[in-house]
């Protein structure tokens, strides 16, 4: 009973700001995306729908660059489409890049109504801004000259921005972006601003994370590492962090770790150097999304912060807590995120304009905690946090 009450308290803390903007309350984590307040679900079904001319719906893919979250997100979107009955696909081999996954799907996915177009795959390289205009032009030319793509999955902030810049000439579902509103991909949480554009939006998500972290760890100086570019500041939710810093009167100590347009290894070296630089001067660290932080290198980030006895909170989620970051939000089964995108795609093929579909997603309010890290840094978690934690890791 006590744990239930504590969980409800944390849920209120996280949901309060979002619910003010949400047309319907979020469902329990075990509910499907269809039950999460998507107003259009009552109008546009997700059932199998052939093209009116009998041909298959043709999917294209546009990716911002090489980043570990993108293949993961693509996998769960495919799993969601499979759950809805739009296709069957054999197990996708582990360790594939997004491009390799796309090729695998083009060759191995079986569907009477859907196909992954093998050459409808675009990427500007290592988040290389200089290559973005040429990629935008290639997409625009393909759509104008051949008109053979029915929907594009735009993976990441840069891809979402570029499709918005093009005016979303075909239905576009933007996935895996930190802040679609702040990045000016969509007009607002309630309205994408373009008939053919849709992006998942999590209102006040990062403000809620930082407020909760500050409530648990009464830090005075918060460390923040990011690439000091417009895109890098969006990935790291810098504006949200600075907003909460003003509200709660703490200082942000930042470090610029260049990430775009350079090799992955260099981005990782930069981010590790930044954490080493700021660790002696901060009371806590908000570990944000950064191209240099990968499933492998996050353990090194965690080690740097543990050695400095610095409590840390992962923006990304509990997988990084498993690797040694002190705490984060415990993620609902990631398949529900994939199902949200899959249902959006299915509704579009059932006649919905992307702009008509609800974009809002509210994370479940659960906590993930690494007790080994807590012991190493000498952090004694409050009893109520221990009782309310849904994911507790004893070892890395």
């Amino acid at each position: 009973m006590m744990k239930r009450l504590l969980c409800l308290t944390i849920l209120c803390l996280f949901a309060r700001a979002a619910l003010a903007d949400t047309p319907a309350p979020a469902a329990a984590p075990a509910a499907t995306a269809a039950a999460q307040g998507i107003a259009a679900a009552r109008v546009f079904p997700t059932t199998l729908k052939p093209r009116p001319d009998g041909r298959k719906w043709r999917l294209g893919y546009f990716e911002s660059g090489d980043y570990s979250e993108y293949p993961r997100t693509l996998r769960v979107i495919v799993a969601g489409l499979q759950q809805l009955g739009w296709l069957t696909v054999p197990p996708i081999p582990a360790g594939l890049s997004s491009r390799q996954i796309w090729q695998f799907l083009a060759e191995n996915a079986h569907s009477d109504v859907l196909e992954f177009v093998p050459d409808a795959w675009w990427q500007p390289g290592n988040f290389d801004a200089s290559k973005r205009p040429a990629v935008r032009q290639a997409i625009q030319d393909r759509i104008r000259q051949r008109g053979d793509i029915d929907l594009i999955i735009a993976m990441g902030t840069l891809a979402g921005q570029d499709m918005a810049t093009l005016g979303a000439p075909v239905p576009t579902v933007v996935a895996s972006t930190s802040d679609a509103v702040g990045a000016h991909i969509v007009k607002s949480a309630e309205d994408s601003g373009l008939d053919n554009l849709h992006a998942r939006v999590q209102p006040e998500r990062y403000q809620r994370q930082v407020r909760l972290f500050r409530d648990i760890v009464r830090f005075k100086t918060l460390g923040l590492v990011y690439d000091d570019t417009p895109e890098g500041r969006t990935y790291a939710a810098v504006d949200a962090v600075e907003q909460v810093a003003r509200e709660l009167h703490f200082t942000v100590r930042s470090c610029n770790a260049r990430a775009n347009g350079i090799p992955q290894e260099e981005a990782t070296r930069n981010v590790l150097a930044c954490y080493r630089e700021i660790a002696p001067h901060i009371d806590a660290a908000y570990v944000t999304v950064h191209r240099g932080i990968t499933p492998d290198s996050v353990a090194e980030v965690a080690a740097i912060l543990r050695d400095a006895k610095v409590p840390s909170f992962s923006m990304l989620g509990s997988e990084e807590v498993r690797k040694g970051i002190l705490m984060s939000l415990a993620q609902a089964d990631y398949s529900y995120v994939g199902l949200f995108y899959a249902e959006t795609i299915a509704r579009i093929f059932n006649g919905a304009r992307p702009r008509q579909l609800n974009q809002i997603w509210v994370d479940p309010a659960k906590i993930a905690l690494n007790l080994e890290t807590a012991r190493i840094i000498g952090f004694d978690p409050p009893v109520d946090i221990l009782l309310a934690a849904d994911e507790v890791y004893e070892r890395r």
Side-chain angles (χ1 to χ4, degrees):
M1 181 65 179
M2 182 178 181
K3 178 172 181 177
R4 184 182 304 169
L5 291 172
L6 291 166
C7 288
L8 287 172
T9 299
I10 295 170
L11 177 62
C12 289
L13 175 63
F14 274 82
R16 181 171 50 204
L19 289 177
D21 297 320
T22 305
T32 67
Q36 297 210 24
I38 300 176
R42 294 187 296 273
V43 179
F44 300 103
T46 62
T47 50
L48 215 61
K49 177 75 172 181
R51 274 179 53 125
D53 59 8
R55 294 187 297 155
K56 294 183 179 181
W57 301 105
R58 291 167 60 86
L59 296 177
Y61 181 89
F62 179 19
E63 181 177 81
S64 299
D66 295 324
Y67 180 52
S68 59
E69 278 298 294
Y70 299 160
R72 182 188 185 195
T73 303
L74 180 56
R75 285 173 181 272
V76 295
I77 291 174
V78 172
L81 288 168
Q82 187 163 227
Q83 182 177 338
L84 294 175
W86 283 74
L87 55 84
T88 59
V89 62
I92 301 172
L96 299 185
S97 67
S98 297
R99 183 161 204 165
Q100 291 169 329
I101 292 174
W102 195 258
Q103 190 63 40
F104 179 87
L105 294 169
E107 296 173 358
N108 296 282
H110 301 286
S111 173
D112 293 331
V113 297
L114 197 68
E115 66 178 302
F116 299 84
V117 182
D119 65 343
W121 187 97
W122 296 274
Q123 189 208 77
N126 287 321
F127 297 85
D128 191 338
S130 67
K131 296 180 180 178
R132 291 172 67 187
V135 174
R136 285 198 301 268
Q137 188 64 50
I139 294 172
Q140 184 167 271
D141 290 346
R142 173 69 175 261
I143 292 168
R144 284 180 175 175
Q145 295 169 14
R146 297 171 61 178
D148 64 339
I149 304 300
D150 296 302
L151 183 143
I152 288 177
I153 298 170
M155 192 70 75
T157 296
L158 301 186
Q161 289 174 331
D162 285 345
M163 289 304 296
T165 297
L166 290 174
V170 296
T172 301
V173 174
V174 183
S176 196
T177 181
S178 296
D179 183 358
V181 178
H184 305 294
I185 296 170
V186 296
K187 181 180 177 181
S188 69
E190 297 79 16
D191 181 14
S192 71
L194 293 169
D195 283 351
N196 270 338
L197 190 65
H198 181 280
R200 182 172 67 115
V201 178
Q202 300 164 279
E204 292 278 311
R205 177 189 185 193
Y206 306 114
Q207 289 92 331
R208 295 194 303 275
Q209 287 186 356
V210 176
R211 289 184 189 116
L212 177 67
F213 190 31
R214 180 51 155 52
D215 195 47
I216 297 170
V217 178
R218 305 297 292 181
F219 53 80
K220 296 180 179 178
T221 304
L222 181 68
L224 197 65
V225 173
Y226 56 93
D227 183 358
D228 194 12
T229 61
E231 295 81 16
R233 291 177 64 88
T234 299
Y235 299 151
V238 174
D239 290 347
V241 174
E242 291 178 344
Q243 173 194 330
V244 179
R246 291 190 296 270
E247 292 173 1
L248 302 183
H249 308 293
F250 61 82
T251 300
V252 176
R253 179 152 186 156
S254 61
C255 183
N256 179 18
R258 185 185 168 201
N260 287 355
I262 59 177
Q264 175 69 59
E265 296 77 11
E266 186 177 349
T268 295
R269 286 196 298 271
N270 290 344
V271 81
L272 293 176
C274 263
Y275 277 104
R276 292 189 186 99
E277 177 184 326
I278 67 170
H281 309 290
I282 58 178
D283 303 319
Y286 186 42
V287 180
T288 63
V289 169
H290 188 283
R291 184 166 159 257
I293 298 182
T294 68
D296 294 325
S297 66
V298 68
E300 296 180 70
V301 172
I304 291 167
L305 296 172
R306 284 200 310 272
D307 290 345
K309 311 298 184 187
V310 172
S312 52
F313 191 105
S314 166
M315 167 191 278
L316 191 59
S318 53
E319 280 302 309
E320 293 190 340
V321 177
R322 188 191 302 271
K323 297 292 183 70
I325 300 299
L326 176 63
M327 67 177 66
S328 184
L329 287 186
Q331 293 171 323
D333 186 336
Y334 207 65
S335 66
Y336 293 114
V337 176
L339 188 57
F340 179 88
Y341 291 127
E343 289 181 337
T344 299
I345 293 169
R347 291 192 178 96
I348 291 169
F349 290 151
N350 271 280
R353 293 195 307 274
R355 189 177 188 175
Q356 291 177 284
L357 301 177
N358 194 341
Q359 301 183 123
I360 293 175
W361 171 277
V362 179
D363 275 335
K366 299 182 177 182
I367 288 181
L369 183 67
N370 190 307
L371 287 182
E372 181 184 43
T373 296
R375 286 193 293 268
I376 290 172
I377 69 174
F379 173 72
D380 187 14
V383 173
D384 56 348
I385 297 302
L386 284 172
L387 290 170
D390 290 86
E391 296 181 22
V392 177
Y393 301 102
E394 291 285 347
R395 290 184 172 275
R396 290 187 289 114

